[in-house]
Each structure stands twice: as C-alpha cells, then as structure tokens.
C-alpha cells in the first residue's frame, strides 16, 4: 500500500505547513511561499486519492 504511505506523508507535510502559517512571526513573502507549497501538496494528495478511487472502480 505504497500510495497509502505517500498519502499519510503528504498529509503530515500539509499539517506542518498549516502550523507554520499560524506562526505570528512570518513575513509576507514566507507566508506566500508556504501557501504555494500547501497548494502543491494538496494537489498531490488529490492526485493520489483520485488514482486510488479509479483503481477501486476498475474491474
């Protein structure tokens, strides 16, 4: 279940990004970069979930 492990790793990374976004000491450029990273990680999570869903639908 390699995709499951990847999914958990990506969710963990996304959680870390959100925790960093909550930090009050972030500069605006850092905040913008973290938001961009969060979007990339979320896209990867979505892609894995879609692939898993498609595998489940296949006969």
């Amino acid at each position: 279940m390699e995709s499951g492990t990847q999914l958990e790793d990506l969710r963990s990374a996304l959680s870390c990004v959100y925790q960093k976004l909550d930090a009050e000491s972030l500069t605006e450029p850092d905040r913008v970069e973290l938001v961009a990273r969060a979007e990339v990680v979320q896209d990867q999570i979505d892609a894995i979930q879609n692939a898993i869903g498609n595998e489940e639908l296949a006969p």
Side-chain angles (χ1 to χ4, degrees), residues 13-14 17-18 21 26 28-44:
L14 190 58
V17 170
Y18 284 133
L21 281 171
L26 279 178
E28 189 59 26
D30 289 340
R31 187 172 304 281
V32 169
E33 182 179 341
L34 284 172
V35 168
R37 287 183 185 189
E39 290 172 353
V40 169
V41 172
Q42 185 62 55
D43 288 345
Q44 292 174 337

Side-chain angles (χ1 to χ4, degrees), residues 3 5 7-11 14 16-17 21 23 26 31 41 43-45 49 51 56 58:
S3 59
T5 303
L7 196 55
E8 288 304 314
D9 290 346
L10 288 170
R11 286 180 177 153
L14 190 58
C16 290
V17 170
L21 281 171
L26 279 178
R31 187 172 304 281
V41 172
D43 288 345
Q44 292 174 337
I45 290 171
Q49 288 177 329
E56 290 173 356

